[in-house]
């Protein structure tokens, strides 16, 4: 299946589809949705693929209040702060916001971690869900073979959680990828034989 953008119409009442039924106004506004193997944003064939995103901000308390208020209608909540004093150098203090599934034990959730922006800092930091340590290892090996820069070989990151197994890779433009398997998350898909 080819990945691409599919145009939908959204009526002013928020209904979607090729046509709006029951909307008195009949007004439409264009909307694009990802079509193909990724399905809904952040998922691949019903599987959550984004674990977390770090957003660097200039004013952490103000930004926490903003993200909590903005995402509350979607079921997101504040997680609180994480102190990095026991972590390796360069790991920042984090302030989290999570969706309803995060920590439920029934589904893999997603989080946004806010961190204080450092002078000259650029790039995005995105964490991708893996269903096993072997998947973390495979993605890391593939990324390095494709020219990525190692920012942390696959290993347990006990300073986050004893069951947090991850690898970190940098791309060519200063963006940072983390591939993470959290053993407390339920698996998302049948593994290929």
């Amino acid at each position: 299946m080819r990945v691409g953008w599919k145009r939908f119409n959204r009526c002013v009442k928020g209904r979607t589809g090729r046509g709006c039924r029951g909307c008195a106004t009949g007004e439409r506004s264009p909307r694009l949705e990802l079509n193909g193997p990724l399905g809904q944003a952040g998922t691949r064939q019903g599987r959550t693929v984004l674990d977390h995103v770090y957003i660097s901000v200039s004013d952490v308390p103000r930004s926490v209040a903003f993200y909590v208020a903005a995402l509350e209608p979607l079921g997101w909540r504040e997680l609180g702060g994480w102190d990095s004093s026991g972590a390796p150098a360069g790991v920042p203090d984090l302030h989290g916001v999570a969706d309803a599934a995060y920590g439920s034990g029934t589904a893999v959730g997603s989080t946004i971690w806010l961190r204080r922006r450092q002078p000259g800092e650029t790039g995005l930091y995105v964490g991708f869900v893996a269903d096993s340590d072997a998947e973390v290892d495979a993605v890391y090996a593939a990324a390095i073979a494709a020219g990525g820069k190692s920012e942390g070989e696959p290993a347990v990151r006990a300073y986050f959680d004893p069951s947090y197994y991850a690898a970190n890779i940098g791309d060519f433009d200063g963006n940072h990828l983390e591939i993470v398997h959290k053993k407390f998350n339920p698996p998302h898909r049948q593994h290929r034989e």
Side-chain angles (χ1 to χ4, degrees):
M1 178 180 273
R2 198 173 133 234
V3 174
W5 290 97
K6 175 169 59 175
R7 181 172 290 281
F8 280 89
N9 287 318
R10 177 187 293 267
C11 76
V12 294
K13 296 198 181 231
R15 295 183 184 97
T16 60
R18 299 207 183 278
C20 176
R21 295 185 176 93
C23 180
T25 66
E27 294 178 47
R28 308 266 190 264
S29 61
R31 185 181 88 174
L32 296 176
E33 287 187 352
L34 192 58
N35 178 26
L38 291 178
Q40 297 175 342
T43 67
R44 181 173 72 201
Q45 298 174 344
R47 174 185 177 208
T48 302
V49 294
L50 291 180
D51 184 82
H52 60 278
V53 175
Y54 284 12
I55 300 175
S56 297
V57 298
S58 59
D59 185 336
V60 172
R62 182 176 178 210
S63 296
V64 168
F66 169 78
Y67 280 95
V68 169
L71 297 175
E72 189 274 332
L74 299 176
W76 287 61
R77 67 193 186 288
E78 183 176 357
L79 289 177
W82 180 78
D83 184 319
S84 65
S85 59
V91 176
D93 288 345
L94 301 170
H95 307 273
V97 181
D99 68 8
Y102 184 79
S104 69
T106 60
V108 174
S110 297
T111 56
I112 295 172
W113 292 97
L114 304 174
R115 56 180 279 179
R116 182 164 312 283
R117 176 168 294 168
Q118 300 301 311
E121 185 175 54
T122 63
L124 181 65
Y125 187 108
V126 180
F128 291 91
V129 173
D131 275 344
S132 68
D133 293 357
E135 280 188 350
V136 171
D137 296 343
V139 172
Y140 177 82
I144 297 303
K149 176 185 170 193
S150 177
E151 294 181 344
E153 292 183 0
V156 171
R157 308 289 196 252
Y159 49 90
F160 286 132
D161 187 270
S163 66
Y164 193 109
Y165 185 84
N168 300 82
I169 305 115
D171 75 2
F172 315 113
D173 297 306
N175 298 301
H176 313 278
L177 307 178
E178 179 177 2
I179 313 305
V180 59
H181 174 225
K182 297 175 180 176
K183 290 175 180 61
F184 53 81
N185 282 337
H188 270 76
R189 62 182 162 83
Q190 297 291 329
H191 293 281
R192 295 183 183 144
E193 301 288 327

